[in-house]
Amino acid sequence: MKLRLAILALFLSTSLFAQKHFDRFNELDVQHYSFDIKLNDENDRIEGAATVIVKFKKEVSEFVLDLINPENGKGMSVNRIMSNEKRIPYTHFDNQVTIKEGGKAGEIKSFTIAYDGVPQTGLVISKNKYGDRTFFGDNWPNRGRHWLPTVDHPSDKATVEWIVTAPSHYKVVGNGRLVREESIGNNFTKTQWKTEVVIPVKVMVMGAARFAVDNVEVVDGAQVSSWVYPQDEKDGFYDYAQAAPILKWFVDNVAPYPYAKLANVQSKTQFGGMENAGNIFYSERSIDGKRSAEGLIAHEIAHQWFGNSASEANWHHAWLSEGFATYFTNLYMEETYGRDKLVEMVKQQRENVINFSRQQLVPVVNTAVTDYMKLLNANTYQKGGWVLHMLRKEVGDEVFWKGIKTYYNKFKYSNALTEDLKEVFEEASGKDLDQFFKQWIYTAGQPEIEFSWTYKGKKLNIFTAQDQSELFEFDLEFLIIFDDGSTQKETLSITDEYESFKVKSKKKPAEIVLDPDTWLLFQGKVTEK
């Protein structure tokens, strides 16, 4: 634990904001949020009463929550803060609410923040493609603070409940189980959802819209449902029903499902899909009646384990979320459609990584990033997925799955850093993986290989060169193809910038193909001298 805290301190200290969060991380742990939100059709102003239950890790006289200040008509205004039936003094400055009361180490206190305002983002209030008014939370990465007073960082998880009062023509979905849904008069309905397990703020959301709802089936004790615009009911129910067999695959291959339900929701999220815990929000254009979104659904369901339950402890390690979701989509597709489908996908993803590196030559864990939206790139997604693909090759399928399950079970409902994943796989495999993670996660780029050869005296003389700035160490497989169609597969261990090898070959090659089984992230060309 001391080692993990030291590592966490290292990565959280890369910016002033991060350091401030690390100070807060040592001071408090939010146990529970209750968000009582009132929505209306007259304007975009929301009324909120957020009850935050805090456990103090050490004695403090005050503490801080994130909440965007009003500016140009948008933002939240705090009206009062109460604790134990008394008003608590506070300041609201620089997008943070400083609550002027703390507690002793180990003490648990409840604070209720009454506030209102028009959210600039975080809660997207708009019209859908059919012109109907909608309300959708869209918190990733740290936009929850635009409408919710929180510790808006993935390292501080809590249970959450939503108590949403909205005009009765809306249905409301939120994290967790449905506790109640009741008419309160004046054509308003109050809906309450509540989680039983902790989740990060980035995936705490509610949505309110005119929905058609289909209960598909129960998988691993969780109700799988589809929430779509009434105009898309037929196609939406057909498309989103794929979530049930996909969820079964993840339960069978990874671990029991971590949440009470899985609602698949057509929404106004700015992303193709947003993996909110237990209620995934998909782009409103994800429905076509042809099940074209199968990969998207698999990606967002993968996040329920990786990113939501086992979460990155710091934004810069977002590949532990997005890289995992990318590769586990590949794995699902491999089992469903065969290895050729996997190869097709990883080859395309390799091209994505190479093209990105030509624009930005940065490592996967890039602590220079301060605008976390910029982490949504090919390094975090496709290269992160490729790291897992190569790790699978490095340790073998049996150890790979053992390591994945161990990692998830160790960090479910908690947080991890890349170092934690490395340690799990070192223990599972018995291998030293320092070099593997150093070069693939913390080093920019990938091998750029020049492979040249000559043939003489039944020997293949091979010369390799690495053209990138940092040296990599890797096994390079290649396939020799002869004129008669026969083949010979060989492997070279590459450790230096320039190397030469001799390989026995009874005939002169007609062609040489690098990485024939698609296990290496690289750029390369082959020439005959």
Side-chain angles (χ1 to χ4, degrees):
M1 183 63 180
K2 289 180 180 178
L3 174 62
R4 292 194 65 237
L5 287 176
I7 295 167
L8 187 59
L10 173 65
F11 287 103
L12 290 179
S13 63
T14 57
S15 69
L16 180 61
F17 173 80
Q19 184 58 49
K20 284 182 178 179
H21 170 72
F22 182 64
D23 293 340
R24 181 169 54 174
F25 176 85
N26 280 330
E27 293 176 353
L28 61 92
D29 179 12
V30 177
Q31 305 290 293
H32 179 73
Y33 295 105
S34 177
F35 299 121
D36 191 332
I37 304 290
K38 294 180 174 61
L39 309 175
N40 70 84
D41 279 338
E42 304 304 316
N43 54 57
D44 292 348
R45 182 167 298 276
I46 65 171
E47 296 179 35
T51 299
V52 184
I53 300 176
V54 177
K55 180 178 182 178
F56 295 100
K57 294 183 176 181
K58 65 180 183 180
E59 186 170 354
V60 296
S61 59
E62 61 183 32
F63 67 98
V64 171
L65 297 176
D66 303 308
L67 187 66
I68 296 295
N69 286 93
E71 183 178 0
N72 300 323
K74 300 288 182 71
M76 297 294 126
S77 296
V78 176
N79 301 317
R80 65 185 177 278
I81 298 178
M82 303 291 292
S83 180
N84 199 25
E85 298 185 350
K86 70 174 184 178
R87 279 183 176 264
I88 305 299
Y90 65 91
T91 61
H92 189 192
F93 175 73
D94 197 22
N95 300 323
Q96 291 189 318
V97 178
T98 301
I99 299 174
K100 303 292 186 174
E101 178 172 307
K104 296 179 181 179
E107 189 174 5
I108 297 176
K109 286 188 174 183
S110 176
F111 300 85
T112 298
I113 302 98
Y115 66 101
D116 66 274
V118 178
Q120 181 180 24
T121 184
L123 178 64
V124 179
I125 304 174
S126 63
K127 291 184 178 181
N128 67 17
K129 64 181 181 178
Y130 295 110
D132 293 331
R133 184 171 169 83
T134 60
F135 305 78
F136 287 106
D138 210 29
N139 289 351
W140 200 96
N142 57 350
R143 292 181 297 132
R145 67 189 67 198
H146 281 271
W147 63 300
L148 305 170
T150 60
V151 174
D152 197 4
H153 194 278
S155 66
D156 195 346
K157 295 182 170 182
T159 52
V160 63
E161 65 182 312
W162 297 97
I163 304 168
V164 180
T165 301
S168 296
H169 51 263
Y170 297 117
K171 289 184 180 294
V172 174
V173 66
N175 309 103
R177 294 186 189 276
L178 181 63
V179 177
R180 61 174 171 156
E181 183 180 34
E182 61 182 13
S183 173
I184 58 173
N186 296 320
N187 293 317
F188 276 82
T189 298
K190 181 175 286 189
T191 307
Q192 181 180 4
W193 294 86
K194 186 176 182 179
T195 71
E196 299 161 351
V197 297
V198 296
I199 58 176
V201 174
K202 64 174 182 171
V203 292
M204 291 181 183
V205 297
M206 50 70 57
R210 292 172 172 86
F211 284 122
V213 180
D214 178 36
N215 289 320
V216 180
E217 66 177 281
V218 175
V219 175
D220 197 34
Q223 178 66 63
V224 179
S225 59
S226 305
W227 298 58
V228 304
Y229 305 154
Q231 299 92 333
D232 287 331
E233 180 175 333
K234 181 180 177 181
D235 288 344
F237 286 175
Y238 174 72
D239 287 356
Y240 286 176
Q242 276 193 303
I246 294 171
L247 183 62
K248 288 177 184 176
W249 184 89
F250 279 93
V251 169
D252 290 343
N253 287 278
V254 179
Y257 182 61
Y259 303 117
K261 71 167 188 310
L262 177 61
N264 298 278
V265 184
Q266 187 179 19
S267 80
K268 287 289 292 182
T269 178
Q270 67 176 310
F271 307 111
M274 182 59 218
E275 63 268 17
N276 308 302
N279 41 241
I280 299 168
F281 287 0
Y282 299 96
S283 162
E284 65 178 3
R285 302 196 180 279
S286 61
I287 291 170
D288 61 8
K290 302 175 183 178
R291 294 192 165 177
S292 302
E294 182 179 15
L296 172 64
I297 293 172
H299 181 102
E300 305 307 336
I301 289 178
H303 273 307
Q304 305 304 304
W305 286 264
F306 305 110
N308 294 0
S309 180
S311 308
E312 64 274 24
N314 181 274
W315 296 113
H316 299 115
H317 294 251
W319 83 275
L320 294 173
S321 174
E322 298 299 349
F324 269 72
T326 299
Y327 193 56
F328 275 79
T329 300
N330 295 352
L331 292 172
Y332 163 77
M333 291 294 194
E334 179 183 22
E335 183 160 317
T336 304
Y337 299 106
R339 179 167 172 81
D340 287 348
K341 182 63 176 178
L342 171 75
V343 170
E344 174 191 337
M345 294 176 75
V346 295
K347 281 185 175 180
Q348 180 57 59
Q349 290 159 9
R350 182 164 61 190
E351 288 304 309
N352 296 147
V353 175
I354 292 169
N355 290 336
F356 178 76
S357 69
R358 289 171 179 154
Q359 302 165 22
Q360 295 184 50
L361 192 60
V362 293
V364 172
V365 174
N366 180 12
T367 57
V369 173
T370 55
D371 178 358
Y372 302 134
M373 291 293 283
K374 292 182 179 178
L375 292 171
L376 302 180
N377 59 47
N379 263 6
T380 303
Y381 286 76
Q382 288 88 354
K383 188 171 183 181
W386 255 98
V387 170
L388 292 175
H389 187 55
M390 291 186 291
L391 184 59
R392 176 184 171 190
K393 172 66 171 176
E394 178 73 21
V395 302
D397 274 15
E398 183 177 350
V399 173
F400 175 78
W401 282 105
K402 176 184 176 183
I404 289 295
K405 293 175 181 180
T406 301
Y407 168 77
Y408 173 72
N409 285 312
K410 185 173 182 178
F411 295 103
K412 66 181 178 182
Y413 309 130
S414 185
N415 297 84
L417 293 166
T418 299
E419 184 69 16
D420 295 308
L421 180 71
K422 181 179 82 73
E423 289 176 358
V424 166
F425 270 89
E426 285 183 331
E427 184 174 347
S429 66
K431 289 188 172 187
D432 182 343
L433 296 173
D434 277 348
Q435 178 62 25
F436 180 93
F437 280 89
K438 175 181 177 292
Q439 67 187 19
W440 297 117
I441 295 294
Y442 298 107
T443 301
Q446 56 281 325
E448 299 175 21
I449 305 166
E450 290 190 13
F451 183 106
S452 58
W453 60 275
T454 62
Y455 181 75
K456 187 177 181 180
K458 295 187 178 181
K459 285 186 179 178
L460 194 61
N461 301 297
I462 297 169
F463 309 92
T464 63
Q466 295 190 56
D467 288 345
Q468 73 283 353
S469 58
E470 297 284 343
L471 290 180
F472 283 70
E473 296 180 8
F474 53 93
D475 286 341
L476 176 62
E477 293 183 346
F478 64 97
L479 185 69
I480 306 170
I481 303 173
F482 300 103
D483 283 330
D484 60 4
S486 61
T487 61
Q488 177 180 333
K489 188 182 292 186
E490 301 287 347
T491 302
L492 305 176
S493 180
I494 307 296
T495 60
D496 210 343
E497 183 176 6
Y498 301 104
E499 296 187 77
S500 61
F501 305 89
K502 293 185 182 295
V503 174
K504 291 182 180 179
S505 176
K506 295 181 179 180
K507 295 175 285 186
K508 181 180 179 180
E511 183 183 2
I512 292 179
V513 177
L514 302 184
D515 188 35
D517 296 323
T518 322
W519 286 110
L520 181 66
L521 177 60
F522 78 108
Q523 298 169 249
K525 62 179 180 179
V526 178
T527 57
E528 179 184 359
K529 286 190 173 181

